[in-house]
C-alpha cells in the first residue's frame, strides 16, 4: 500500500494538468480521480486528446495520401469521356502483292498474298495462283472486320493449314488480305505440329517484309463515254494510277453498248477523290462528245 501511494504522489505533479484538461476542469482534481486514471485496468488510448472520430481521421488520411501521390480524382463521366476520345487504330492492308518460299524437310511451301476488296476477289486470286499439280493449295482471307474471314485446309489435316495462315494475317494486323500457300510434297511427312508451323511460317514470311498502307473508304463510279473517247478515258485512268492519284483507282468492269457506239466503265477510287476524278474526265470532252461520271455505291 505504501509503494502504490508513493508512485501516485510522485507522478501527480506531472499527470494532474492532463487529467484536469481531459475532464474539462480548470481546478485541481482530487486524488481519487488521478488514481482512477492511473489504474492498470484503464487502456492507454483513454488519454487520447484527439477531437476527431476514427472515421473522420481515416477519411482525412486517405485524402492526404491521394494528394501526396498526385492522383486526380475525376468524376466517372469525365473518365468515360477520356476513354471515348482515344484515337482509333487505323486498319491497314498490303500495298502490293507479296511472295515467299519456304522448304521444310524437302517439302516446298510457296506463299502468295494480295490485298482484296471482297471475298469474291479473294476467290478469284485463289483461282489465279493455285497450282493443280501441287499437293495442296491452302488459303485464308481476312476481310474488313474480325467477323469477316474464310480459310481452307485443302486436304491437309483439319486445323493444320488454313487456321495458321489466318493467324499469320491477324498477327500482322492486316485486313482485306488473302494468302495462298501452295505445298509441293517432298516425300517426308511433317506431322500435325510440323504442318501448323510450316504453313504459319510460310504465311508470316510472305507478310513480314511486305509494304502496307492505310485502308481508306472507297466508292465505285460509272463512266459513260462515246466510243471515240474510250481510249483516252482508259489512258487517263492508267496515267492517274501510275501517279498514285485517286487511290486505289482500278477498273472493275467494262460494258459496251450493243451497237458499239459507247462504253460504260465501272471504276473504284477513294471517296474524297470523286470530284477531282470527275474534273479529270471532263477535260477529255469535246464539243460533240461528253463523259458522264456517276457514283454507283456508298463508301465502303
Amino acid at each position: 500500500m505504501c509503494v502504490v501511494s508513493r508512485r501516485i504522489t510522485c507522478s501527480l505533479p506531472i499527470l494532474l494538468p492532463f487529467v484536469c484538461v481531459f475532464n474539462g476542469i480548470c481546478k485541481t482534481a482530487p486524488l481519487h480521480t488521478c488514481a482512477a486514471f492511473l489504474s492498470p485496468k484503464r487502456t492507454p488510448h483513454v488519454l487520447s486528446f484527439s477531437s476527431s472520430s476514427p472515421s473522420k481521421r481515416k477519411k482525412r488520411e486517405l485524402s492526404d495520401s491521394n494528394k501526396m501521390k498526385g492522383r486526380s480524382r475525376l468524376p466517372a463521366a469525365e473518365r468515360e469521356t477520356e476513354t471515348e476520345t482515344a484515337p482509333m487504330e487505323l486498319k491497314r492492308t498490303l500495298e502490293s502483292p507479296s511472295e515467299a518460299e519456304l522448304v521444310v524437310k524437302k517439302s516446298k511451301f510457296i506463299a502468295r498474298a494480295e490485298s482484296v476488296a471482297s471475298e469474291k476477289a479473294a476467290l478469284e486470286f485463289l483461282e489465279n495462283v493455285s497450282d493443280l499439280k501441287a499437293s495442296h493449295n491452302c488459303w485464308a482471307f481476312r476481310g474488313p472486320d474480325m467477323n469477316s474471314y474464310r480459310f481452307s485446309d485443302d486436304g491437309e489435316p483439319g486445323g493444320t493449314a488454313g487456321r495458321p495462315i489466318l493467324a499469320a494475317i491477324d498477327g500482322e494486323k492486316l485486313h482485306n488480305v488473302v494468302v495462298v500457300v501452295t505445298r509441293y510434297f517432298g516425300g517426308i511427312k511433317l506431322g500435325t505440329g510440323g504442318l501448323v508451323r510450316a504453313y504459319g511460317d510460310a504465311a508470316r514470311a510472305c507478310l513480314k517484309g511486305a509494304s502496307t498502307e492505310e485502308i481508306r473508304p472507297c466508292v465505285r463510279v460509272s463512266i459513260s463515254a462515246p466510243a471515240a473517247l474510250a481510249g483516252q478515258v482508259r489512258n487517263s485512268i492508267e496515267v492517274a494510277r501510275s501517279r498514285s492519284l485517286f487511290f486505289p483507282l482500278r477498273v472493275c468492269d467494262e460494258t459496251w453498248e450493243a451497237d458499239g457506239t459507247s462504253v460504260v466503265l465501272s471504276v473504284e477510287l477513294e471517296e474524297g477523290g470523286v470530284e477531282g476524278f470527275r474534273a479529270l474526265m471532263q477535260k477529255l470532252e469535246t464539243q460533240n462528245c461528253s463523259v458522264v461520271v456517276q457514283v454507283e455505291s456508298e463508301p465502303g
Side-chain angles (χ1 to χ4, degrees):
M1 185 70 180
C2 296
V3 174
V4 172
S5 301
R6 192 182 303 112
R7 287 181 179 175
I8 294 175
T9 307
C10 295
S11 304
L12 189 60
I14 300 173
L15 295 177
L16 269 179
F18 294 100
V19 174
C20 295
V21 171
F22 182 79
N23 288 281
I25 306 172
C26 295
K27 59 185 180 178
T28 305
L31 183 60
H32 65 83
T33 304
C34 300
F37 277 97
L38 291 173
S39 173
K41 295 181 181 179
R42 304 288 296 187
T43 54
H45 69 271
V46 173
L47 295 178
S48 173
F49 304 106
S50 173
S51 59
S52 302
S53 64
S55 60
K56 290 182 179 179
R57 287 199 304 274
K58 186 175 182 180
K59 289 180 180 178
R60 185 165 62 248
E61 288 172 0
L62 289 174
S63 176
D64 294 341
S65 175
N66 287 335
K67 287 178 182 178
M68 290 177 66
K69 292 180 180 178
R71 294 177 183 172
S72 58
R73 301 174 65 105
L74 294 175
E78 293 184 24
R79 290 198 297 270
E80 290 175 3
T81 304
E82 286 187 350
T83 303
E84 292 174 357
T85 55
M88 236 177 15
E89 186 177 355
L90 298 174
K91 295 180 180 179
R92 303 191 69 81
T93 189
L94 292 178
E95 185 177 9
S96 58
S98 181
E99 184 174 327
E101 183 176 317
L102 181 68
V103 178
V104 180
K105 294 183 179 180
K106 297 183 179 180
S107 284
K108 183 187 294 185
F109 295 84
I110 300 178
R112 300 178 180 90
E114 187 174 67
S115 173
V116 290
S118 63
E119 184 179 321
K120 180 182 177 181
L123 294 175
E124 290 175 356
F125 177 76
L126 170 65
E127 185 179 355
N128 292 334
V129 302
S130 293
D131 185 358
L132 299 179
K133 296 179 183 179
S135 305
H136 307 276
N137 293 282
C138 307
W139 61 278
F141 160 73
R142 169 62 71 192
D145 54 61
M146 298 308 291
N147 295 321
S148 176
Y149 66 91
R150 279 193 65 182
F151 59 84
S152 170
D153 296 317
D154 192 34
E156 294 281 26
T160 61
R163 282 191 179 277
I165 297 173
L166 181 63
I169 298 174
D170 292 341
E172 296 298 319
K173 298 181 179 180
L174 296 174
H175 295 267
N176 293 355
V177 168
V178 59
V179 178
V180 180
V181 180
T182 301
R183 180 193 182 189
Y184 297 90
F185 183 57
I188 301 175
K189 292 184 178 181
L190 303 181
T192 301
L195 288 173
V196 170
R197 287 188 294 273
Y199 279 101
D201 290 346
R204 277 188 290 274
C206 181
L207 299 172
K208 200 71 177 177
S211 57
T212 63
E213 62 191 1
E214 176 190 336
I215 296 178
R216 307 176 218 177
C218 295
V219 295
R220 186 169 290 193
V221 299
S222 61
I223 308 169
S224 302
L229 296 178
Q232 296 181 52
V233 168
R234 280 193 292 267
N235 184 61
S236 295
I237 292 174
E238 288 303 318
V239 171
R241 182 180 173 83
S242 66
R243 297 177 180 175
S244 299
L245 300 176
F246 316 116
F247 179 86
L249 191 59
R250 49 174 167 252
V251 178
C252 302
D253 192 22
E254 182 177 327
T255 306
W256 283 85
E257 293 294 334
D259 57 2
T261 57
S262 62
V263 65
V264 178
L265 298 176
S266 181
V267 178
E268 187 179 33
L269 68 155
E270 64 176 330
E271 178 189 2
V274 174
E275 293 304 320
F277 183 73
R278 181 179 282 117
L280 177 64
M281 292 295 104
Q282 288 174 349
K283 291 180 180 179
L284 305 177
E285 294 181 349
T286 63
Q287 187 173 358
N288 299 321
C289 300
S290 61
V291 179
V292 180
V293 178
Q294 295 179 331
V295 177
E296 293 180 3
S297 64
E298 295 298 324

